[in-house]
Amino acid sequence: MDKQEENFFHPKDTREIIEKIIAEGKNQPLSDNIALWFTHFLKIEPKKKKKQDSQKDKFMFPKQFPEVSQLMMNALHQRQQSAFVALSQRHELRKVNAKIDWRMVIGLGGAHVLETSMTLHHIYGIPYIPGSAVKGIVRHYFVSEKLQSKCPEEDNLSILDAILAYPEIQKLRKEQKYEDLQIWCQRYGKIKQETLQKASADWDLLDLGQTIFGTQGQAGVIVFCDAFPVGNVKFAIDVMNPHYPDYYDSQGKMPPNDCQNPKPIPFLTLEQTAFNFYLLLKPREGIAVKKERLRFAAEWLQAALQM
C-alpha cells in the first residue's frame, strides 16, 4: 500500500503525528497496544472505482499485527500470581490450563468499524476471556449436558433452567407441590406433570448447580475469574463467507437463491494460544464451605472447554 493511500480518521494533531511516523519510514505498527491499534489505527485503502461503480472505501487488515509485549505479559502474570497467593489464604482456588486447538474469537459481534470485533482488555490491550463468558460456558454445559439427562426433551431445558434459577420454583419442588409448580412453569413452556416429577427425582444436582452459579436472588459460591493468555499470543485472519449477501442486505426482500455472489468477510482470531483459568470458592452466609463444589466447577469447566 502506498503511503499516499493510507488514511486515518483522527483529529488533526493526531494525524500529523501519524504522518510524521510514516514519513520517517518506521516499518512497524503505530501502537504496541493491540486494543488501541485495533480500534484507532486500522488503515483503509480506497478502492479503485470501476465503470458505474462507486463503492465505499474498504477497510483492510494489515499484513503485520503488533506483537504482544512479553515484558508486559510477565508483569501481568506476576501481579495475578501475587493476587491469587493472597486470596488463597482465605479461599480455596483451582487452576485450569487449556490451549486452543484451532482458532477462537471472543466478542465477534461487538461494535466495531469492521462489523467484526474481538474482546481486548481495555488497559493491557491483550485478548482475554472475561469471567462472565467463562461462567456462561460452564453453566451452558451444566444445563445442556447434566440436566438434560434428567429431562431429555429439548423443550424441557428451559423449565429445568428456570428450576435452577428461581427460588420460587425451588420452594414449590421442595414441598412437592407439583400442580402449583406446573402452573408456575407455564410461562416457560408446556410440560407434563409426570415429566416434572421425573426431573424432580434427583434434586441434589439442581441444588448443586444453584449453589455454584447462583440465582436471581443469591450470588453463587464460585467466582469465575478472567482468563488471560499464557506464552505466545498468535493472531490469525479467518473468513466467513455468506452465500446470500443480497438476501441479508435487503433484509429478506430478495430470495436466497444460488445466483448471488458470495461476499468473504475477514475477521481476527486467535490460534494455538494457551489460557489460564482460575476458579475461586467463596463462603456464603448460611451455607457451609464445601471443597467439592470447587472440584465440580473445575471438572465442568474442563469438559466445557473440550466440547
Side-chain angles (χ1 to χ4, degrees):
M1 186 188 304
D2 294 336
K3 295 176 183 177
Q4 291 79 5
E5 292 184 348
E6 293 178 345
N7 295 290
F8 300 91
F9 294 111
H10 296 293
K12 181 179 179 181
D13 53 349
T14 305
R15 189 168 61 252
E16 290 175 350
I17 295 174
I18 295 173
E19 292 172 352
K20 182 180 179 180
I21 295 174
I22 295 175
E24 292 175 356
K26 294 183 179 179
N27 187 20
Q28 61 182 12
L30 293 170
S31 174
D32 57 1
N33 184 298
I34 298 173
L36 184 61
W37 162 81
F38 191 55
T39 55
H40 289 76
F41 293 129
L42 285 180
K43 303 174 184 179
I44 65 169
E45 178 183 7
K47 295 190 66 175
K48 295 180 179 179
K49 294 184 179 181
K50 300 179 181 179
K51 293 181 179 180
Q52 298 180 348
D53 186 9
S54 58
Q55 296 185 23
K56 294 182 179 179
D57 295 344
K58 181 181 179 181
F59 285 88
M60 303 294 293
F61 279 111
K63 296 180 180 179
Q64 278 191 326
F65 301 103
E67 293 184 1
V68 176
S69 169
Q70 290 301 315
L71 182 63
M72 184 272 294
M73 290 286 290
N74 293 336
L76 172 61
H77 286 301
Q78 289 178 4
R79 180 178 182 182
Q80 190 180 45
Q81 289 292 337
S82 299
F84 285 124
V85 167
L87 287 170
S88 64
Q89 305 300 319
R90 296 176 296 168
H91 306 281
E92 292 290 333
L93 292 171
R94 185 68 64 94
K95 179 181 177 181
V96 175
N97 299 104
K99 186 176 182 179
I100 304 170
D101 60 356
W102 176 229
R103 288 176 179 169
M104 180 196 74
V105 58
I106 300 292
L108 180 65
H112 194 270
V113 67
L114 298 178
E115 297 184 2
T116 57
S117 187
M118 173 183 281
T119 298
L120 300 170
H121 198 278
H122 64 288
I123 295 177
Y124 305 117
I126 60 175
Y128 77 109
I129 306 176
S132 57
V134 178
K135 182 177 181 180
I137 292 170
V138 179
R139 193 178 187 277
H140 176 75
Y141 168 83
F142 173 74
V143 173
S144 62
E145 298 298 322
K146 295 298 182 179
L147 295 188
Q148 191 173 19
S149 62
K150 305 298 177 185
C151 196
E153 293 83 356
E154 183 177 355
D155 293 341
N156 296 333
L157 285 179
S158 59
I159 305 298
L160 293 173
D161 199 18
I163 292 172
L164 174 67
Y166 288 91
E168 293 88 347
I169 293 183
Q170 285 282 347
K171 181 179 179 181
L172 291 174
R173 65 91 178 163
K174 286 180 180 179
E175 297 173 356
Q176 296 185 353
K177 296 181 179 179
Y178 295 115
E179 293 183 1
D180 294 338
L181 186 60
Q182 169 73 23
I183 296 173
W184 210 97
C185 290
Q186 285 296 325
R187 71 186 65 178
Y188 299 99
K190 296 181 179 179
I191 186 171
K192 297 180 181 179
Q193 182 172 336
E194 53 267 27
T195 305
L196 278 175
Q197 293 174 338
K198 179 181 178 181
S200 305
D202 184 6
W203 290 102
D204 292 339
L205 182 62
L206 292 171
D207 287 334
L208 176 63
Q210 187 182 45
T211 303
I212 288 176
F213 300 110
T215 66
Q216 289 186 337
Q218 181 66 63
V221 298
I222 301 296
V223 176
F224 296 82
C225 302
D226 294 342
F228 291 102
V230 183
N232 294 327
V233 178
K234 187 176 180 181
F235 292 96
I237 296 296
D238 210 326
V239 175
M240 64 180 76
N241 203 17
H243 280 62
Y244 309 112
D246 297 338
Y247 168 76
Y248 295 113
D249 291 343
S250 66
Q251 298 182 349
K253 294 181 181 179
M254 295 187 65
N257 51 50
D258 293 332
C259 66
Q260 300 175 28
N261 294 323
K263 185 182 293 183
I265 301 174
F267 62 97
L268 192 61
T269 69
L270 293 175
E271 67 177 8
Q272 302 300 319
T273 301
F275 285 85
N276 280 340
F277 296 85
Y278 286 93
L279 303 178
L280 182 148
L281 176 64
K282 61 179 181 180
R284 198 169 87 182
E285 184 178 355
I287 295 181
V289 177
K290 296 182 179 180
K291 296 181 180 180
E292 60 266 24
R293 292 168 182 159
L294 184 61
R295 176 176 60 83
F296 279 118
E299 290 176 355
W300 296 344
L301 172 59
Q302 289 178 321
L305 293 174
Q306 293 172 357
M307 292 183 65

